[in-house]
Amino acid sequence: MNVLSLCAGSGIRSTAASTSIKSAATAISRRSLATEIDKNAASKHSGRVRKGFAEKLKNGPGFGDFVSGMNEPLTPAQAMEKAVQSLPGNSRLPRWLKTDIPTGTNVSRIRKTLRELKLHTVCEEARCPNMGECWGGGKHGTATATIMIMGDTCTRGCRFCSVKTSKAPAALDANEPQNVARALAAWGLDYIVLTSVDRDDLPDFGSGHFTETVKSIREKAPQMMIECLTPDFQGRPELIEPVALSGLDVYAHNIETVEALQRMVRDYRANYKQSMFVLEHVKKTKPTLLTKSSIMLGVGETDEEVMQTMRDLRMAGVDIVTLGQYMRPTKRHMKVHEYVTPEKFKHWEQVGNELGFVYTASGPLVRSSYKAGEFFISEILRKRAAASANKEKNLRDVAASIASEEQKKHAPSAL
């Protein structure tokens, strides 16, 4: 083969290679174009789906379909009632449970003295909603406070209580009985409630400290009415009796809840029968002493259980019963099962009167040391003393007389 032939063959091969490259580039270009066309198609398809979904929502079920079955809309009152019945523990409070922030001269003065003498009140520790009314005097002008002795740390851990807990609290303050008596004499209160944390770490569970405090108050303020809201002292009679005979006017111990819910609500060392025994034994120790107990509602109890608890309290000789709404102090505590309506509390007040309690305080904001109840109790004690001197009436008649007077005071005036 000659040189010309070789060159001609090489040119042919070059032309063929060039043609192949161009074909490949065209194919790639076409594939890219096809991809671009697919993207546009997907975008259009997605738009059609969104538009179709929007049309379905527009033509779909309305609010009426979700509440179908109701003949007519609820009234505001009915809506509130249904909302309250199913209200969870961390929801907003019903209007009847809202109170004003405690303020005023008397509130500031009491708080200042508490800090100076290193005293504690259950009003603050338990975040009581009635603190402003009690410390300020309220509508009756009877100023009261609830002092918590034996420290601010409890050896028990009830699921409803916001007081601090520890297996080994600080030692008792030996000067506390005198400091409490001095503070109360300076405040000029009409009625004082002494309560305490549980002190299962002490040999006598705090019975001696309680007794000494009452005697100190009686020495410095003999005119003051004294109520003691005590622990159960583990049901030991020899520790209950000294407090009952210390000179107090009202001995209170709370049953807290119905029998079936005791283990869920209270510390395992507290129980229904033990608390009933405490109240019954106090009455046997000093029959003339007023006894008192309290029941929380809204923790899962039934009406039948509440009724039985009230009957049991009367059988134990309890004179005064209070019923109030459980309010969850923090998210770490047990939830509220139900917010009981004021009408229901009114029902339990009527039941208490029918069962023969000397006084029944029942309402959403009522607490075991509720101020209005203390006013009533103080009047009972004063009139009973007068009746005893004149030998005119028994305790039940005195209570009925006071109740009648209170109803007349608060009855609406005739137009």
Side-chain angles (χ1 to χ4, degrees):
M1 185 178 293
N2 58 27
V3 174
L4 184 59
S5 299
L6 289 173
C7 291
S10 176
I12 292 169
R13 286 195 294 270
S14 297
T15 303
S18 176
T19 302
S20 299
I21 292 170
K22 287 180 180 179
S23 299
T26 303
I28 293 170
S29 175
R30 285 175 180 172
R31 281 199 295 271
S32 298
L33 186 61
T35 304
E36 289 174 6
I37 292 171
D38 288 343
K39 284 182 180 179
N40 292 335
S43 177
K44 290 178 181 179
H45 177 71
S46 177
R48 285 196 297 271
V49 169
R50 285 196 297 269
K51 185 177 179 181
F53 183 69
E55 289 295 328
K56 286 182 180 179
L57 284 179
K58 183 178 178 181
N59 301 323
F63 179 73
D65 296 297
F66 291 100
V67 292
S68 60
M70 297 172 56
N71 295 327
E72 55 186 39
L74 293 175
T75 65
Q78 290 171 329
M80 173 61 76
E81 183 179 355
K82 283 186 173 292
V84 168
Q85 288 173 353
S86 60
L87 203 59
N90 59 353
S91 298
R92 292 182 181 275
L93 293 176
R95 63 186 182 280
W96 59 77
L97 288 174
K98 296 179 181 180
T99 58
D100 296 329
I101 296 173
T103 57
T105 306
N106 212 38
V107 172
S108 302
R109 181 168 59 88
I110 290 176
R111 187 173 277 141
K112 183 173 182 290
T113 308
L114 288 168
R115 301 297 174 267
E116 290 173 352
L117 295 176
K118 298 181 180 179
L119 300 177
H120 307 280
T121 67
V122 75
C123 316
E124 293 178 299
E125 297 293 334
R127 308 180 186 189
C128 180
N130 302 312
M131 188 167 68
E133 182 185 359
C134 292
W135 288 13
K139 64 183 179 181
H140 295 299
T142 306
T144 64
T146 302
I147 299 292
M148 189 168 70
I149 60 175
M150 299 196 285
D152 63 349
T153 306
C154 187
T155 54
R156 298 188 184 182
C158 297
R159 295 186 64 210
F160 63 88
C161 185
S162 63
V163 175
K164 292 183 292 186
T165 62
S166 173
K167 291 181 179 179
L172 294 181
D173 179 3
N175 297 320
E176 186 175 53
Q178 292 298 321
N179 285 342
V180 169
R182 193 181 309 118
L184 296 179
W187 290 342
L189 298 174
D190 305 289
Y191 194 106
I192 182 66
V193 179
L194 286 181
T195 189
S196 76
V197 292
D198 280 280
R199 293 300 301 261
D200 298 291
D201 59 314
L202 301 174
D204 68 346
F205 311 130
S207 172
H209 197 84
F210 234 117
T211 302
E212 186 181 349
T213 304
V214 174
K215 289 180 177 178
S216 298
I217 297 171
R218 189 57 72 207
E219 288 175 6
K220 287 185 167 55
Q223 79 290 346
M224 189 177 292
M225 301 290 180
I226 303 174
E227 173 184 330
C228 287
L229 175 58
T230 75
D232 56 29
F233 301 120
Q234 295 194 7
R236 289 172 54 177
E238 71 275 16
L239 302 179
I240 299 168
E241 291 164 9
V243 180
L245 300 173
S246 62
L248 71 167
D249 299 292
V250 180
Y251 194 113
H253 175 67
N254 290 342
I255 198 70
E256 303 296 5
T257 187
V258 300
E259 187 171 12
L261 299 178
Q262 291 282 315
R263 286 302 300 271
M264 186 191 82
V265 173
R266 304 174 77 187
D267 183 272
Y268 70 93
R269 285 161 286 191
N271 64 76
Y272 190 83
K273 291 181 179 178
Q274 184 167 272
S275 291
M276 285 293 177
F277 172 79
V278 171
L279 293 162
E280 190 172 5
H281 191 72
V282 168
K283 206 66 174 176
K284 289 180 180 178
T285 302
K286 190 175 180 181
T288 58
L289 191 61
L290 284 174
T291 53
K292 176 181 173 184
S293 194
S294 181
I295 307 171
M296 291 184 300
L297 300 184
V299 297
E301 70 287 334
T302 65
D303 287 356
E304 292 77 13
E305 290 170 336
V306 175
M307 176 66 81
Q308 187 58 53
T309 303
M310 295 178 75
R311 288 196 185 106
D312 291 343
L313 289 172
R314 278 303 298 137
M315 288 295 293
V318 173
D319 300 297
I320 301 153
V321 65
T322 65
L323 299 97
Q325 171 70 52
Y326 165 63
M327 294 171 67
R328 190 184 191 188
T330 71
K331 290 184 178 180
R332 291 179 287 113
H333 294 81
M334 68 177 187
K335 293 183 179 181
V336 176
H337 184 272
E338 175 190 14
Y339 284 120
V340 181
T341 63
E343 292 75 21
K344 192 67 173 182
F345 277 107
K346 188 67 178 175
H347 163 73
W348 291 122
E349 181 182 348
Q350 294 170 352
V351 169
N353 293 335
E354 291 170 2
L355 289 174
F357 287 99
V358 170
Y359 179 59
T360 303
S362 181
L365 291 173
V366 168
R367 294 296 178 265
S368 58
S369 41
Y370 185 52
K371 204 214 72 55
E374 287 154 13
F375 167 79
F376 189 89
I377 294 166
S378 64
E379 287 298 297
I380 289 176
L381 292 168
R382 289 190 185 102
K383 293 195 175 186
R384 184 172 71 170
S388 178
N390 299 325
K391 295 183 179 180
E392 293 175 349
K393 300 177 180 178
N394 60 32
L395 181 60
R396 191 73 35 77
D397 292 336
V398 171
S401 174
I402 297 171
S404 177
E405 290 175 12
E406 284 296 298
Q407 288 175 357
K408 289 178 181 177
K409 286 180 185 177
H410 299 99
S413 57
L415 296 176

